[in-house]
């Protein structure tokens, strides 16, 4: 039963600075998001926690599910970058919200990167296709879900709103399809990032969303 | 100190289709539960996430605590079955609520199955008795707890209501006792499922519950 | 990139009874905290869950992140002590609140112990300094965070209030500094406990807190 749907893949590797930039983008977004809730009296540590969780929480969930020590804990950089970016995002939120379009684009690219790393890492340790897609999406959207749980808010990706997890899911499918067709992992990974980013940005631009739950 | 309370056991194995049926029962229940909260604008993905979490979230927590890659991620079936069942549960909720008694029974059997698998798996990797009981109960009720956290609701099993975790706890105790007395794991496991199911159904029928917290 | 900031350390070991006493202190505190919310109809099992989570939830998060089976699941004692202490905390809450100062002190010492164990364990498995500090703080405050998530409350350590995680962070820094300077782990660990406890108690006494989030 476990034989079908296995695709052999290497892990999609990106330079450390790209990974850290994606982490920083997530952390800035998390801090700006948290800043909307002034009445909650979040303190500086709370902002830092939101930064860490939004910046590499998805990757931590990915590695926990793959039964590995989280990659973000094997280097000093991730925590420093995520907390620094979160505090910067908090202090400069007026500046950042003026360049909101840049943040949205950076965030869409991060979504694609985390997704490509997640799905290829899952394939590379031998998981079948469907769980690998699942891991890719969890890696991409898990940080935002943890952020919402920690802030006590409804979880964004579970509710009607611009496509986010779906963009990652389609990007992940692209990576699996390209890899199964024999494409090099670098090509497949970059394709996944592009597909995810484009779908996410089009969804933001045109307000695409999934239907609400309903009964027949 | 760690010497006492160790019982040697094999893992209680069930056919894949039984495990998938139990997963589907959990996912359908999760989707029907989520359907009560129409004002929350859960979308199709949200329903799928609730299905996955309620269907095999308990088993994922079990395997995370036992430091293994979750069994549900080692096959393509669990995610497909859980999301499919959740969407079916959403679409056909009127049909399913007419056969609610069947759902309650199926859910009680699933509770027992997840409990028996959990406690025997914990014993089989060498955990002492008390943590093995704990793992069995977490495997049985963890999916529902995660569901409540993701929906931002009070966690059902922590509050006054029909016995659920207690049914699993007594079933788990039965399995440990039977195994310690030399019973075959298949016998002990089936006994655990029966004990858990019966207690759960009697609790639903007669409204049994644990006392509320109170001080002397 | 991963070369800097690595400090070789042994794990700070404490006698089992001290660890269990710290677990019990956490569990009692958790139960007394939960007792404030009488309108929520928490039942006895709910109180037990809060006890387990507050008593050794931080240690469980630590071990999950370090990719190990949680230490608290490798002995029968932790679960028994944590649930017993939680039920005692519930029953005798009037007694315990009269000796509240003792509970606050015991809790501050536990904070330091969990922190010292966490940071030294992380260093001992080879994590760099920054993630080790992170693990130490998570081990110290993670139980309280899980408690707040399970009770559906704003997470205490993320909001303006007496220093708690910061006390653990400074204690963790002390341990790393002392170890890097060649101090014996027992000395460094006890120093960490003392530093953490003193900062925490001074913060309670003088109402020290971190600034609230704000923009430039």
């Amino acid at each position: 039963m476990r034989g079908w749907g296995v695709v052999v893949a290497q892990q999609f590797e990106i330079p450390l600075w790209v990974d850290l930039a994606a982490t920083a983008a997530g952390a800035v977004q998390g801090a700006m998001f948290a800043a909307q809730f002034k009445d909650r009296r979040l303190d500086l540590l709370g902002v830092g926690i939101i930064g860490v969780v939004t910046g590499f929480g998805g990757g931590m969930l990915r590695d926990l599910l793959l039964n590995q020590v989280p990659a973000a804990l094997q280097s000093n950089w991730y925590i420093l970058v995520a907390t620094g970016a979160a505090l910067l995002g908090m202090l400069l939120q007026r500046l950042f919200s003026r360049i909101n379009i840049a943040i949205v684009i950076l965030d869409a690219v991060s979504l694609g990167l985390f997704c490509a790393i997640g799905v290829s890492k899952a394939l590379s340790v031998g998981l079948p296709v469907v769980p690998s897609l699942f891991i890719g999406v969890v890696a991409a959207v898990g940080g935002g879900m943890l952020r919402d749980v920690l802030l006590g808010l409804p979880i964004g990706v579970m509710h009607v709103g611009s496509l986010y997890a779906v963009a990652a899911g389609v990007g992940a499918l692209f990576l699996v399809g390209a890899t199964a067709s024999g494409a090099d992992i670098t090509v497949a990974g970059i394709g996944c990032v592009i597909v995810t980013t484009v779908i996410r940005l089009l969804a933001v631009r045109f307000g695409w969303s999934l239907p609400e739950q309903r009964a027949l």
Side-chain angles (χ1 to χ4, degrees), chain A residues 40-184:
Chain A
R40 300 197 176 209
R41 310 209 62 209
L42 225 58
D43 68 11
L44 296 187
L45 179 73
V47 172
I49 292 176
I50 291 298
V52 163
V53 152
T54 324
F56 57 78
M60 279 179 50
L61 289 178
R62 172 200 70 204
D63 292 340
L64 284 178
L65 292 175
L66 296 178
N67 201 25
Q68 305 190 352
V69 175
L73 297 184
Q74 297 181 16
S75 147
N76 285 312
W77 291 109
Y78 292 88
I79 294 171
L80 293 176
V81 165
T83 47
L87 295 178
L88 220 65
M90 178 195 78
L91 286 174
L92 306 180
Q93 60 195 243
R94 271 190 278 272
L95 172 63
F96 282 120
S97 48
R98 244 172 297 151
I99 55 165
N100 189 251
I101 181 71
I103 303 275
V104 170
I105 293 173
L106 221 59
D107 183 64
V109 176
S110 304
L111 187 75
L113 285 170
F114 293 151
C115 174
I117 297 171
V119 64
S120 64
K121 191 167 185 176
L123 291 173
S124 75
V125 299
L127 289 201
V129 165
V130 178
S132 296
L133 295 171
F134 177 78
I135 295 276
V137 176
V138 166
V141 308
M145 290 180 72
L146 281 178
R147 176 200 70 192
D148 293 339
V149 168
L150 291 187
L151 287 172
L153 297 170
I155 294 176
V157 296
M158 290 173 59
H159 295 83
V160 177
S162 317
L163 300 183
Y164 200 79
V166 170
V170 177
L173 263 176
F174 177 89
L175 187 148
V176 169
T179 309
S181 317
D184 183 80

Side-chain angles (χ1 to χ4, degrees), chain A residues 160 211-215:
Chain A
V160 177
E212 195 170 335
Q213 67 171 344
R214 64 173 161 207

